[in-house]
Amino acid sequence: MSIHDRYRLSVVINAKGTYTPLGVSRSSDGVAEAVAQALPEFFVMDELGDRASEAIAQLTGAQAGAVVHCTAAGITLAVAATMTGGDPRRTAALPDATDMPNRVVLPACQVIDYGHSNLQGIRLSGAQVDLAGDENGCTAAELEDELDGPDVACLMLVSSRLTRGEPIDLVAAVRAAHRRGVPAIIDAAAQFPRIADVLATGADLVLVSGQKYLGSPTAGLVAGSWPLVQALRAQEKGIGRGMKPTKEAIVGVLAALEEWQAVDRVKWEADQLAKVEEFVAAASRIPDVIAETVQDPTGLQVSRVLLKVADAKRVATELEAGTPSIYVMTDRTAEGELMLELIPLDADEIATVLARLWAVLT
Ligand SMILES: *Cc1c(COP(=O)(O)O)cnc(C)c1O
């Protein structure tokens, strides 16, 4: 009996991307097996943390790495690391941040909502947020103005499709922080494949979600400078207690990192593009549908299917209401657009999506 039948759960075809309310991603059989091997075993958890640090450092070129519960936890803990600098007294005092640098500068156009606001993720540490610029953008002068304020603990930046307004020059922003001795953190949760590029901005800590494009169990991966990563890991004896990684998550991350390095990325990207282009050709045969291949806007080597249809909202609602329940990206239904990400889908699921599109649209 399938797990969906056993617990009376909807069968889902997820063409919505690495979306948390749908279970995010599919782990490979190899990762699932490593997790199953870990669950009945005991470990010295610090050793597991050290092996994860070595694996993340080796893959990214960073000095050190850490695994935490998820990226939302990573945001809180990375800020805490910059406020405490690893001082045990400060670590125990949080979220009371009296007598520590406790202000976090964040461009206002990078306030995002991934289920909650990243403002809350930052504030959970005890820090306060100073927004630079407005939701349409943040100039260098506006950023520097906030960085010149008192008690700045760090600069927080976001590399994501979810940001608004004019894109920020991340390299210039990190430099502006470093000129003032302020560390910079970049939340790049959905950009695991670009982690080395994001680190190349000079950021002190970079955060990515393992359960998104790495396909590990739910985990936040942190890569960055040795002292700040140690200060972040030290939070496990403080506010990070409830944000700790599980043993199965760390082992799953280790297995997923090994698999990632063994895969031929060029071939993988070509295969994924071929899958999208085949879908676009097939969807274009549906009357009154315009289908296109679009590239991820943030530089991720991921292509998606764009469908232009009349009444996009109704189409999405009917796809979700059927069995299996098909989810697509619906941020632009008002403009008559649906977007589909096909990476985790197999040939049968893709055939089902096309058949249902024919049924709903004709
Ligand atoms: C998904 C996401 C998060 C949250 O990541 P979790 O691992 O689910 O906590 C944070 N920031 C961005 C930009 C995201 O895309």
Side-chain angles (χ1 to χ4, degrees), residues 20 70-72 112 114 158 160 162 187 189-190 209 211-212:
T20 305
C70 62
T71 294
I112 58 168
Y114 43 79
V158 181
S160 163
L162 302 174
D187 167 10
S209 301
Q211 76 276 18
K212 292 182 177 173

Side-chain angles (χ1 to χ4, degrees), residues 23 29 36 39 45 49 98 105 145 158 182 226 231 245 255 257 296 308-309 322:
D29 292 345
L39 279 166
M45 289 303 291
T98 321
V105 176
D145 204 35
V158 181
V182 170
W226 180 270
L257 289 174
D296 176 85
K308 297 183 185 170
V309 294

Side-chain angles (χ1 to χ4, degrees), residues 103-108 122 128-132 138 142-149 152-157 182 185:
R103 309 195 74 91
V104 176
V105 176
L106 172 72
I122 296 168
Q128 298 184 42
V129 185
D130 283 336
L131 294 179
C138 172
E142 285 168 330
L143 188 69
E144 306 217 3
D145 204 35
E146 291 303 336
L147 287 170
D148 282 334
V152 176
C154 62
L155 169 65
M156 175 67 73
L157 299 166
V182 170
I185 301 164

Side-chain angles (χ1 to χ4, degrees), residues 319-340:
L319 290 173
E320 278 179 35
T323 307
S325 193
I326 298 171
Y327 286 82
V328 303
M329 294 176 168
T330 53
D331 335 355
R332 288 178 53 85
T333 49
E335 287 82 11
E337 294 182 358
L338 299 172
M339 189 96 86
L340 287 80

Side-chain angles (χ1 to χ4, degrees), residues 69-109:
H69 181 72
C70 62
T71 294
I75 291 169
T76 306
L77 298 177
V79 169
T82 65
M83 288 197 293
T84 59
D87 174 346
R89 190 195 56 80
R90 287 184 171 187
T91 299
L94 290 185
D96 179 347
T98 321
D99 304 330
M100 312 176 206
N102 67 345
R103 309 195 74 91
V104 176
V105 176
L106 172 72
C109 52

